[in-house]
Amino acid sequence: MNGLNKGLLKGLALSSSLLLGACSSEGIATTNNELNLNELTLEKIETQAKEEGHVESVGMPDTWANWGETWQELEENYGLAHADTDMSSAEELAIFKAEQNNPTKDIGDVGQSFGPIAEEDGLTLAYKTSYWEDIPEWAKDDDGDWIVGYYGTLSFMTNTEKVSDVPTSWQDVLDGDYKVTVGDVNAATQAQNAVLSAAIANGGDETNLDPGLALFAELAEQGRLDLGDTSLARLESGEIEVGLFWDFNALNYADQIESTNPNASFDVTIPQDGTVQSGYATVINSTAPNPHAAALAREYILSDEGQINLAKGYARPIRDNVELPQEVQDILLPQDQYQAAQPISDYDAWEKAAAGLGQRWQEEILTKIN
């Protein structure tokens, strides 16, 4: 999702039951306009959610960040049936907007930069949850229109069968002799954040990507930029020597490959001279047919159990006061690797910079490749 390979739109076919349920959508929209979830007790939300009995999500498929276990537990504990349509962040907001007079979706999971957009467009229903104080300020809207549940950090994924000196900093990357795979900077958020990560490590930020582009220009001049994609297939085939990935993607891919190929070996490291973190936020549809079920889903996602479920899917939980079981800690990187990582602090500046990054990449980087 949002350029992090969350999946392609798989179709918007809706069951007849959902279409019938949406016939009274004008009444639902009016009710939700008058509904303030933040004024309700958790007991009231649970009671109403059980009566609704269903939650319809977008961009939250079972296999992404281990959502499947959370949906299973919501059904077991509260009787909430669930269905998901996988799509990108932009597509999620588009369907919320398109269905405002005929709503079928309750909750979505979007890249953090899309949270403020959803709120500005009037597509969200605010709910802070009982874990509000545990959420960092950078990871939530002031009223709970969007709340980050987990986040990723731009990392290096190194094929140690191909590379002996595993990079732990951007300076290491510059000093290396291997090829570096970044992905499509014109379109992929993961690749764009790789440029931002390199900029941060060299004194830049969202308002100044020049240091990051200069680093990639040097790699291009050295003939060390691999312009192929960052797919699992290329990792499996050994085509990628050092790839730039969100840590949860890298850890997931490494475990998948190593579980089926005993000769494969990967190291995932966080740049120690600076890198970027970015989260994924839940947004509750302002015209959700099942608003209390959506609120209860967010509540559970931010609970200890929900945060552990996300960590089982290699994502870093947003709440740092959740004690992860040892077997879950073992699949994640040690926390001390993240000392130089920082969240995006100015999303307006980043949105503008990212919009023009494709053209700059073409002019300043690709022209240096023979």
Side-chain angles (χ1 to χ4, degrees):
M1 189 170 79
N2 187 27
L4 298 190
N5 304 319
K6 188 157 188 180
L8 299 174
L9 181 62
K10 293 181 179 177
L12 300 178
L14 301 171
S15 67
S16 58
S17 61
L18 286 175
L19 290 173
L20 290 171
C23 289
S24 60
S25 60
E26 291 188 6
I28 290 171
T30 301
T31 301
N32 286 357
N33 285 339
E34 298 171 355
L35 176 62
N36 188 336
L37 292 168
N38 285 325
E39 291 182 347
L40 302 182
T41 65
L42 181 54
E43 181 181 10
K44 178 67 172 179
I45 287 174
E46 289 181 4
T47 299
Q48 293 296 110
K50 289 176 181 177
E51 289 184 6
E52 291 166 354
H54 183 82
V55 60
E56 186 83 15
S57 68
V58 283
M60 304 173 80
D62 289 357
T63 55
W64 177 268
N66 194 36
W67 282 127
E69 194 163 353
T70 287
W71 299 128
Q72 179 181 342
E73 290 169 1
L74 279 166
E75 182 169 10
E76 292 172 352
N77 295 335
Y78 303 101
L80 296 185
H82 169 258
D84 181 80
T85 304
D86 192 15
M87 56 182 70
S88 72
S89 298
E91 289 164 337
E92 291 178 49
L93 300 192
I95 198 170
F96 280 10
K97 183 176 291 187
E99 291 189 345
Q100 281 189 315
N101 294 321
N102 197 32
T104 65
K105 310 303 181 188
D106 299 307
I107 189 171
D109 181 47
V110 298
Q112 186 177 349
S113 60
F114 285 84
I117 295 172
E119 180 190 4
E120 184 177 344
D121 288 349
L123 302 176
T124 56
L125 196 59
Y127 178 54
K128 292 183 176 182
T129 82
S130 61
Y131 303 98
W132 184 252
E133 298 302 325
D134 295 342
I135 310 300
E137 290 301 319
W138 65 266
K140 60 187 178 185
D141 160 69
D142 59 358
D143 201 36
D145 285 280
W146 55 268
I147 303 177
V148 168
Y150 61 100
Y151 61 93
T153 303
L154 205 289
S155 69
F156 305 137
M157 183 178 181
T158 303
N159 183 336
T160 55
E161 294 296 305
K162 303 278 187 177
V163 177
S164 57
D165 293 326
V166 174
T168 60
S169 69
W170 284 100
Q171 187 59 52
D172 287 347
V173 169
L174 274 181
D175 294 340
D177 59 0
Y178 39 77
K179 286 206 169 185
V180 178
T181 304
V182 62
D184 185 0
V185 175
N186 287 290
T189 298
Q190 179 175 256
Q192 292 173 344
N193 275 272
V195 177
L196 176 56
S197 172
I200 288 171
N202 290 278
D205 57 21
E206 302 93 325
T207 67
N208 177 21
L209 298 181
D210 291 351
L213 286 164
L215 183 144
F216 282 100
E218 187 170 341
L219 291 176
E221 289 173 348
Q222 295 175 11
R224 294 179 51 216
L225 268 187
D226 167 29
L227 298 181
D229 63 47
T230 54
S231 65
L232 178 61
R234 293 193 73 226
L235 285 164
E236 287 176 319
S237 68
E239 295 176 53
I240 296 176
E241 297 179 323
V242 173
L244 308 178
F245 293 88
W246 294 116
D247 55 350
F248 59 85
N249 279 336
L251 292 168
N252 188 6
Y253 290 158
D255 280 357
Q256 283 189 60
I257 297 169
E258 290 172 357
S259 67
T260 58
N261 181 0
N263 296 319
S265 177
F266 294 90
D267 266 6
V268 179
T269 53
I270 304 299
Q272 295 302 293
D273 48 2
T275 189
V276 64
Q277 294 177 325
S278 188
Y280 276 88
T282 53
V283 285
I284 298 173
N285 188 0
S286 59
T287 57
N290 306 292
H292 303 87
L296 185 58
R298 175 183 279 177
E299 181 79 27
Y300 196 81
I301 288 164
L302 294 173
S303 71
D304 289 10
E305 295 85 355
Q307 293 283 279
I308 290 170
N309 285 345
L310 289 166
K312 289 179 182 178
Y314 307 91
R316 182 70 60 173
I318 195 61
R319 288 180 53 213
D320 62 10
N321 59 346
V322 176
E323 185 175 350
L324 300 178
Q326 188 59 51
E327 64 270 19
V328 178
Q329 294 181 43
D330 290 345
I331 69 171
L332 301 177
L333 297 177
Q335 187 62 40
D336 61 10
Q337 278 214 31
Y338 293 85
Q339 298 304 311
Q342 65 183 59
I344 294 173
S345 59
D346 188 339
Y347 268 99
D348 288 339
W350 174 233
E351 184 179 0
K352 292 177 182 176
L357 187 53
Q359 183 174 348
R360 291 194 66 185
W361 184 261
Q362 178 69 39
E363 294 172 353
E364 300 176 35
I365 310 301
L366 297 187
T367 55
K368 299 183 184 300
I369 296 175
N370 293 326

